[in-house]
Amino acid sequence: MKCRKCGGTAVINMRQHKLALCADDYLAWLPEQVQRFIEKYEMFTRDDRVLVAVSGGKDSLGLWDILHRLGYQADGLYIGLGIDGGFGYSDQSRELSERFANEHGLKLHVVEVEQTYGATIPELAVISNRGHGKPCSVCGLNKRYIMNRVAHDGGYTVLATGHNLDDEAAVLMQNTLNWAGGYLVRQAPVLPASRPGLARKVKPLCRIYEREMAAYTITRGIEYIYDECPHAVGSTTLYNKELLNQLEEKRPGAKLQFYLSFLQAKEAGLFSAKASEPDLHACDRCGQPTTAPGECSFCRLWDKVRGVKNLPDRVPASLVAPALSA
Amino acid sequence: MKCRKCGGTAVINMRQHKLALCADDYLAWLPEQVQRFIEKYEMFTRDDRVLVAVSGGKDSLGLWDILHRLGYQADGLYIGLGIDGGFGYSDQSRELSERFANEHGLKLHVVEVEQTYGATIPELAVISNRGHGKPCSVCGLNKRYIMNRVAHDGGYTVLATGHNLDDEAAVLMQNTLNWAGGYLVRQAPVLPASRPGLARKVKPLCRIYEREMAAYTITRGIEYIYDECPHAVGSTTLYNKELLNQLEEKRPGAKLQFYLSFLQAKEAGLFSAKASEPDLHACDRCGQPTTAPGECSFCRLWDKVRGVKNLPDRVPASLVAPALSA
């Protein structure tokens, strides 16, 4: 297979784009694509301070690399979840994230959930008895909260996550299989900062295939953690990804078409205004926006844990350390 | 496996309902379910004259049997498509449909496309050059047109088709994979007669699994054509059915939940009014409702065929033979 631009040996063939590229041309092409989508969906400009949620995986490190190369002001946030899985998943993830930051001279905020709040995510899942034995639900809740808090405390205007097309299509598939109206209406490349205290959320990789991100980070020589989170095994998301891969195999581009036709249909007004924005107010305790009456889910979760573990009642004034945010 | 009602030997186990039943109890249970859905979705009453579209397959013959047993005024319509497939598909279908009608003393309208209009469906597909070598698109167009005409000409208030849950879920999956807004908004157990000349369309089996219909017709001793239409091989619908069967295998009831949550989301106002009813007007030639400007797609299709085959210009005044409609 030859590169369509220079005729050299191709490292990737993207059947859905009918495009094969060599290493150099691919490393130039992918950031151009991301730039195109940042502009198309009006995600942010070079004046914005962007916080990139970094997990040590190919998508988030690849995204950080791309944003940095494109000249954006992009700092990282690593959240330590305390997940071991028999191979030190969280430790490895942190190390790889820190190594990338150091090698590129980039600023990385680190929030360790256990040190900050008093328990690891797997402990939290057991104590809270949420998520049917899986920590994924409390993990998501904690990550969303902490990302938003750090963005707020650190004065970032935009929070960028590494969700790729496969992630977005799998979530869309799940929300469609259940016809979860509210989630469908809100799934988008950009979630505006609809309220003070809530960061604008963007997904610059939403149209990039998972394998394209893998090819990018490998070709670019970025070290990332290959393993999925050990708790993701058997998840609905992974199952939906397999289904979508079957469709893609049969008809290249099916995944992209599923996602893009969804965005187009929404743009064309398929959904009624009814199911759109939920009512938000400030949490009585931490002040973060929440749909729950009184305290937000995060505060209620940790109240429970503090009770069980006899932990002191601590709500950090800021999640951004002065030394780091300087 | 024992029948949950009488303890006898079960002939079917419906995992999604956690219900196993013996032959007698199943033959009583299924029509009760259909009756429940006819009422729930306000499909028709015993005062309505119902035209059942009959193909000779398990779903349509099973539906006709059930409606007859439930005491509805249900006549049949068989449309001869002229499909052979090497085993006389259409001939066999007609024979089985007529046999069922005779054995149950029911009235069956028969419209042979070739005799009435001058070409078989496979011929039509070739001449019209529609559907990328597959006759399915022209076949659907012809069936929809003829069903509607016969319902109108015969004074039927309701047109019932044998679409089962697997059919509906597969179509829903397709319309979702493409986010075909107009189709999504209009997919429903009942399509109202929104205009004079357009029959109210209902799908009383929309919540019955395909295998439940197979079990019903076999247990009831109804002879039906086992073969799929030879042109359906490799179709997107069959592929989507396989996908949904995988989901169902993993999580019994997934197919039903997909369809029901869709209906519920629609009922709850997920879709905007924008994408709903298309503008219809009477075809300049045959007078049937159409969205196309001037002549309807059916008339334009047959105009072309008459040109190619040098056929006389004939538009039947009525598709319901006086002798049959008496």
Side-chain angles (χ1 to χ4, degrees):
Chain A
M1 186 75 65
K2 283 187 192 298
C3 172
R4 209 178 68 186
K5 299 213 169 178
C6 72
T9 306
V11 294
I12 187 166
N13 180 25
M14 294 167 286
R15 287 171 69 200
Q16 78 282 8
H17 298 313
K18 294 193 174 67
L19 181 65
L21 292 173
C22 71
D24 284 351
D25 284 320
Y26 185 62
L27 289 176
W29 179 84
L30 196 76
E32 281 166 21
Q33 294 300 304
V34 175
Q35 175 61 29
R36 194 157 77 82
F37 303 141
I38 290 170
E39 287 170 16
K40 180 179 170 67
Y41 299 113
E42 299 178 351
M43 293 186 176
F44 46 82
T45 68
R46 286 179 179 77
D47 293 333
D48 280 297
R49 291 188 61 226
V50 181
L51 181 68
V52 183
V54 172
S55 71
K58 64 185 186 314
D59 302 305
S60 56
L61 289 183
L63 172 62
W64 201 7
D65 179 87
I66 290 169
L67 294 186
H68 173 54
R69 284 172 192 275
L70 289 172
Y72 291 102
Q73 307 176 50
D75 293 350
L77 163 63
Y78 174 82
I79 302 174
L81 306 165
I83 293 170
D84 185 74
F87 59 96
Y89 174 75
S90 285
D91 291 346
Q92 271 195 55
S93 307
R94 178 172 174 165
E95 200 189 313
L96 289 163
S97 303
E98 287 178 332
R99 190 180 306 168
F100 181 89
N102 292 336
E103 285 174 5
H104 292 77
L106 292 167
K107 179 152 77 180
L108 179 70
H109 300 275
V110 173
V111 176
E112 284 289 347
V113 173
E114 187 176 18
Q115 283 168 31
T116 315
Y117 296 101
T120 66
I121 293 293
E123 267 189 279
L124 201 52
V126 174
I127 295 170
S128 69
N129 202 20
R130 276 177 63 150
H132 310 286
K134 280 263 195 192
C136 309
S137 145
V138 291
C139 187
L141 170 63
N142 275 268
K143 284 194 293 194
R144 283 191 300 276
Y145 182 90
I146 293 170
M147 288 189 298
N148 200 58
R149 269 297 296 271
V150 173
H152 175 260
D153 295 351
Y156 293 94
T157 42
V158 178
L159 177 62
T161 56
H163 293 97
N164 58 39
L165 175 67
D166 293 53
D167 297 324
E168 291 300 292
V171 165
L172 180 57
M173 179 60 86
Q174 193 53 33
N175 290 338
T176 305
L177 286 173
N178 300 321
W179 287 93
Y183 289 114
L184 281 173
V185 171
R186 284 190 296 279
Q187 188 177 353
V190 175
L191 209 60
S194 55
R195 211 197 124 93
L198 207 58
R200 170 189 190 73
K201 283 179 191 139
V202 300
K203 299 167 185 168
L205 306 181
C206 64
R207 289 174 61 165
I208 312 290
Y209 280 66
E210 193 159 296
R211 67 183 280 270
E212 292 171 12
M213 285 313 296
Y216 180 82
T217 42
I218 290 167
T219 311
R220 180 66 82 199
I222 298 168
E223 270 190 280
Y224 68 88
I225 185 158
Y226 290 90
D227 300 280
E228 292 275 0
C229 170
H231 298 291
V233 176
S235 71
T236 312
T237 304
L238 285 189
Y239 184 77
N240 289 340
K241 284 187 177 181
E242 276 173 46
L243 271 190
L244 287 159
N245 283 340
Q246 281 182 40
L247 282 166
E248 182 76 23
E249 181 64 34
K250 194 183 173 236
R251 189 159 50 83
K255 228 183 280 187
L256 187 59
Q257 201 210 337
F258 177 47
Y259 183 63
L260 289 187
S261 62
F262 165 72
L263 295 184
Q264 281 156 10
K266 205 157 70 160
E267 188 71 25
L270 176 61
F271 299 123
S272 69
K274 233 177 171 179
S276 60
E277 196 56 40
D279 282 338
L280 293 174
H281 69 96
C283 166
D284 289 350
R285 187 182 180 93
C286 73
Q288 285 286 291
T290 177
T291 54
E295 288 191 9
C296 71
S297 311
F298 181 87
C299 286
R300 277 185 286 126
L301 177 69
W302 281 100
D303 272 347
K304 188 169 175 182
V305 174
R306 277 190 288 265
V308 172
K309 288 193 74 173
N310 257 327
L311 294 171
D313 189 347
R314 50 176 168 181
V315 177
S318 170
L319 281 184
V320 175
L324 282 167
S325 68
Chain B
M1 185 73 68
K2 282 187 192 301
C3 172
R4 209 177 69 187
K5 298 214 170 177
C6 72
T9 306
V11 294
I12 187 165
N13 179 27
M14 292 167 286
R15 287 172 68 199
Q16 77 282 8
H17 298 313
K18 295 192 174 68
L19 180 65
L21 291 174
C22 71
D24 284 352
D25 283 321
Y26 185 62
L27 290 177
W29 179 84
L30 196 76
E32 280 165 23
Q33 295 299 305
V34 175
Q35 174 62 29
R36 195 157 77 80
F37 303 139
I38 291 170
E39 288 169 15
K40 180 179 171 66
Y41 298 112
E42 300 178 351
M43 293 186 177
F44 46 82
T45 67
R46 285 180 179 76
D47 293 333
D48 279 297
R49 291 188 62 224
V50 181
L51 182 67
V52 183
V54 172
S55 71
K58 63 186 186 316
D59 302 305
S60 55
L61 289 183
L63 172 62
W64 201 7
D65 178 87
I66 289 168
L67 294 185
H68 173 54
R69 284 173 193 274
L70 289 171
Y72 291 102
Q73 308 175 52
D75 293 349
L77 163 63
Y78 174 82
I79 302 174
L81 306 165
I83 293 170
D84 185 73
F87 59 96
Y89 174 75
S90 285
D91 291 346
Q92 270 194 56
S93 306
R94 177 172 176 166
E95 200 190 313
L96 289 163
S97 302
E98 287 179 330
R99 191 181 305 167
F100 181 89
N102 291 336
E103 283 174 6
H104 293 77
L106 292 168
K107 179 153 78 181
L108 179 71
H109 301 275
V110 173
V111 175
E112 285 289 347
V113 172
E114 188 177 17
Q115 283 168 32
T116 314
Y117 295 101
T120 65
I121 293 293
E123 267 188 280
L124 202 51
V126 173
I127 295 171
S128 69
N129 202 18
R130 277 177 63 150
H132 310 285
K134 281 262 196 194
C136 308
S137 144
V138 289
C139 186
L141 170 62
N142 275 269
K143 284 195 293 194
R144 283 191 300 276
Y145 181 91
I146 294 170
M147 286 190 300
N148 201 58
R149 269 297 297 271
V150 172
H152 174 260
D153 295 350
Y156 294 94
T157 42
V158 178
L159 178 63
T161 56
H163 293 97
N164 59 40
L165 175 67
D166 294 53
D167 297 324
E168 290 301 292
V171 166
L172 180 57
M173 178 60 85
Q174 193 53 32
N175 291 337
T176 305
L177 287 174
N178 300 322
W179 287 92
Y183 289 114
L184 280 173
V185 170
R186 283 190 296 279
Q187 189 178 353
V190 175
L191 210 60
S194 55
R195 209 197 125 94
L198 207 57
R200 171 191 189 73
K201 283 181 191 136
V202 300
K203 299 166 184 167
L205 306 181
C206 64
R207 289 175 61 165
I208 313 290
Y209 279 66
E210 192 160 296
R211 66 183 281 270
E212 292 171 10
M213 284 314 296
Y216 180 82
T217 40
I218 291 167
T219 312
R220 180 66 83 199
I222 297 168
E223 271 190 278
Y224 67 89
I225 185 158
Y226 290 91
D227 300 280
E228 293 274 0
C229 170
H231 298 290
V233 177
S235 71
T236 312
T237 305
L238 285 189
Y239 184 76
N240 289 339
K241 284 187 178 181
E242 276 173 45
L243 271 191
L244 288 160
N245 283 339
Q246 282 181 39
L247 282 167
E248 182 76 24
E249 182 63 34
K250 191 182 175 237
R251 190 160 49 84
K255 226 183 283 188
L256 187 59
Q257 202 211 334
F258 177 47
Y259 183 63
L260 289 187
S261 61
F262 165 72
L263 295 184
Q264 281 155 13
K266 204 157 68 158
E267 187 72 26
L270 175 62
F271 299 121
S272 69
K274 234 176 171 180
S276 59
E277 196 56 40
D279 282 337
L280 294 175
H281 70 95
C283 166
D284 289 351
R285 186 183 180 92
C286 73
Q288 286 284 291
T290 179
T291 54
E295 287 191 9
C296 71
S297 311
F298 182 87
C299 286
R300 276 186 287 126
L301 176 70
W302 281 100
D303 271 347
K304 187 170 178 182
V305 174
R306 275 190 289 266
V308 172
K309 289 193 70 172
N310 257 327
L311 294 171
D313 189 349
R314 50 176 169 182
V315 177
S318 169
L319 281 184
V320 175
L324 281 167
S325 68

